Amino acid sequence: MISKEVFSAVWNLVSREEHIKKFTLGAAAIVCVLLLSGIHGVAQDEQALHEVYQAQAMGQNTQVGQTFNVTVHIDEYSTLEERQILVDAFNTGGSKGLYNALDKMSARGHIAITGTLGYDIKYARKLPADEGFKLIVVTNRPISFREAWNSGRSLDYNLSYLEITLNKETGKGTGTLIPAALFKIDKKSGEVTIEAFRNPFTLTNIEDRTKR
């Protein structure tokens, strides 16, 4: 069960000022992560032994000054079969189809925002990157009763997207968090795009806190 604190925290992230922003996601982002690629992840077959990543999220543009901590727990990585299920769901039903497919999947981990108990991660992949790896999380976000009652545009942005790129040698990395996201196919370019209900949060001070 998702706590009132989680609903409140997520609602605060998406409800203050309606600001729709679209991003074209190239080979370094979601295109090679979920919808178009068959790339094998890093040690996906071995599964995760409870990996933990921590970061500080910093607001941009209209959210400047808003910061909070994010902790990502990965208990198990998603399979290629699950990726294909999501590909088919997206091709058939777009972002809504993706949401419905994710909703039926078992949790692969947990994401927590400062002051909340957090919510489940339904899809997680680890992909090879220069001198390290890229961690991708896509999940359906909790919708509060208040948000559902208001029945605003934010309901269409019912997915959350997180990306972390970490250098194994330096232990440093970069990342992005989009608490409320909508995935689309651009009719002109045919590329997969993501729309953020508000501006994305930049992830800084990323740490791999996995016990080994």
Side-chain angles (χ1 to χ4, degrees), residues 19-181:
H19 185 86
I20 310 300
K21 189 167 184 179
K22 186 196 309 188
F23 302 86
T24 299
L25 300 174
I30 197 72
V31 172
C32 72
V33 173
L34 172 62
L35 303 173
L36 301 180
S37 171
I39 292 176
H40 289 267
V42 178
Q44 300 289 311
D45 295 335
E46 297 177 7
Q47 303 299 319
L49 299 176
H50 191 66
E51 297 178 2
V52 182
Y53 302 93
Q54 291 183 338
Q56 182 178 25
M58 301 183 64
Q60 306 296 314
N61 298 324
T62 57
Q63 293 137 234
V64 168
Q66 185 177 0
T67 65
F68 52 89
N69 293 326
V70 177
T71 303
V72 178
H73 299 265
I74 303 295
D75 296 318
E76 190 175 16
Y77 283 108
S78 302
T79 65
L80 289 176
E81 290 75 17
E82 289 170 322
R83 185 194 67 84
Q84 188 59 49
I85 289 173
L86 298 185
V87 169
D88 294 341
F90 180 78
N91 288 336
T92 302
S95 199
K96 183 177 181 180
L98 194 56
Y99 176 92
N100 291 336
L102 285 165
D103 194 49
K104 296 175 183 178
M105 289 184 170
S106 301
R108 295 300 186 184
H110 196 73
I111 182 170
I113 296 172
T114 302
T116 77
L117 296 176
Y119 55 101
D120 288 338
I121 291 170
K122 294 301 187 73
Y123 183 86
R125 294 286 286 174
K126 181 188 281 187
L127 303 173
D130 293 341
E131 300 179 347
F133 61 85
K134 183 187 295 291
L135 175 68
I136 297 293
V137 168
V138 182
T139 195
N140 45 353
R141 69 176 180 86
I143 305 294
S144 69
F145 176 80
R146 177 184 175 187
E147 184 178 0
W149 178 265
N150 288 338
S151 192
R153 291 189 66 186
S154 65
L155 290 179
D156 293 330
Y157 298 77
N158 52 15
L159 301 172
S160 292
Y161 171 77
L162 178 143
E163 172 185 317
I164 290 176
T165 302
L166 199 63
N167 185 303
K168 288 185 177 181
E169 296 296 326
T170 65
K172 297 181 179 180
T174 59
T176 300
L177 170 65
I178 304 178

